[in-house]
Amino acid sequence: MAGREFRTQVAIIGAGPAGMLLSHLLAADGIESMVLETRSEEYVASRIRAGILEQSTVDLLRGCGLGERLDREGDRHRGIYLQWPGHRHHIDFVDLTGRSVWVYGQTEVQKDLIEARNAAGQEMHYEIADTALHDVETDRPCVTFTDTQGRERVVKAEVVVGCDGSFGPSREHIPMDVRRHWERVYPYSWFGILADVAPSTDELIYAWHSDGFALHSMRSASVSRFYLQVPNDTEPDWSDDRIWEALAARLGHGQDGWALVTGRITDKSVLPMRSFVQTPMRHGRLFLAGDAAHIVPPTGAKGLNLAVADVALLAPALAELIRKDDHRLADSYSETALRRVWRCTHFSWWMTTMLHRGEDPFDEQLQLSQLRWVTSSVAGATGLAENYAGLPIGL
Ligand code: APR
Ligand code: PHB
């Protein structure tokens, strides 16, 4: 293989939250890594994504020195509101499970990670091209890429970790006869709206409505985030008036005196909804973490939390493998991680199918029955609360 050679212990492909947190946790354990990313640092730091952190994510971020701004600027929520026309119910996670969630954007988590890795002198290669994996079935795997000057580079490592999201090359590097995947594509998308307006609610509102699902979320005391269920392939070109009218109708403006306050819309985008799991999450010296191995629809905000749970398991497993040649945690990584992946895959599917409008009037009655049960039975509410606030990592 031609080109200049680098050596590191762990070659990490992708500088999203999974890759950056993994390099941070490995460094805390004395393991050196190199992070390879196709996009620029500015692009990675500014992508708008979901904004809810589970209890175990917050515990982990605090435990590894990344909790300072989160504690200052994050907003702890006790639970969520579930509603359908004429009804709004609060589900209190703290009362039901003793656990809560935090409103703190993934964009902010990503900025904190970049700052911490830059301060520690982490070797990063942004804006690379032609990422390719080699020899992952041997003890000397490597990754090749083309750098910003067009030079071919080789990274020789002890382990390669694919944190390259849903479109990266790592997952497809696992041979066809070894890998298996499961997928569900939903017949609707989310229209995401960011607005410079104080939230009209203290905690998130998940609303079932015959026009389609709506979600009122938030980023701060002065920034609100909203989502509307729309048909697939909708263009994000709705006028501001049309958006506010749809949100007001679906979120119940006027219901029991509640009012939706409108403001300046700063971003409009459409997100497809998909569930996807690929197994195994390890092949030889290649490990997968985060969106590279699994995608969940955003209802329930599990994507980032699941990526964090993966790397929380993977970092100590790699440290044991590299420092002590102890393979046990590495050998059980895929199976352990997949238990949580499937739990979250089920929960995200369940929240999605309970709240989104379909074509079938029979399904509609089942959804309303499910909503009545979840909001009126302690057993029903506790199941939602336990999954939403998240189980401890490793369970
Ligand atoms: N070479 C190098 N980097 C790559 C390549 C490649 N060939 N392909 C993709 N990448 C990079 C992407 O540009 C992206 O920055 O990998 C990164 C993957 O990051 P994320 O998509 O953020 O995935 P992950 O870190 O697993 O985080 C999961 O992000 O997408 C959300 O809902 C998801 O919240 C969840 C979280
Ligand atoms: C968000 O704030 O972006 C968000 C919140 C909750 C979800 C999904 C997205 O379920």
Side-chain angles (χ1 to χ4, degrees), residues 136-198:
V136 302
E137 286 166 4
T138 73
D139 288 348
R140 290 188 180 71
C142 74
V143 181
T144 53
F145 67 92
T146 307
D147 73 11
T148 46
Q149 267 94 51
R151 290 173 300 203
E152 216 180 281
R153 301 294 201 179
V154 183
V155 183
K156 295 200 162 172
E158 292 175 49
V159 165
V160 174
V161 185
C163 295
D164 44 1
S166 39
F167 304 108
S170 299
R171 83 154 63 113
E172 291 190 354
H173 198 75
I174 298 184
M176 291 276 259
D177 58 342
V178 174
R179 68 179 198 242
R180 182 157 182 213
H181 78 271
W182 292 262
E183 187 170 27
R184 170 80 32 106
V185 177
Y186 298 88
Y188 33 73
S189 301
W190 274 15
F191 192 142
I193 298 115
L194 198 64
D196 280 339
V197 61

Side-chain angles (χ1 to χ4, degrees), residues 8 73 87 164 180 185 198 208 214 227 279 336 362-363 386-387:
T8 189
E73 297 174 16
H87 302 263
D164 44 1
R180 182 157 182 213
V185 177
W208 184 98
Y227 297 98
T279 67
T336 311
F362 176 74
D363 289 341
E386 188 173 72
N387 281 283

Side-chain angles (χ1 to χ4, degrees), residues 49-52 190 204 206 215 217 219 225 227 298-301 388:
R49 294 228 171 126
I52 298 290
W190 274 15
L204 273 61
Y206 287 81
L215 172 60
S217 181
R219 288 289 177 273
R225 177 81 169 146
Y227 297 98
T299 332
Y388 197 111

Side-chain angles (χ1 to χ4, degrees), residues 325-340:
D325 199 29
D326 181 339
H327 293 236
R328 283 173 298 175
L329 289 177
D331 289 348
S332 59
Y333 165 69
S334 180
E335 198 186 322
T336 311
L338 282 165
R339 280 205 295 273
R340 189 189 197 87

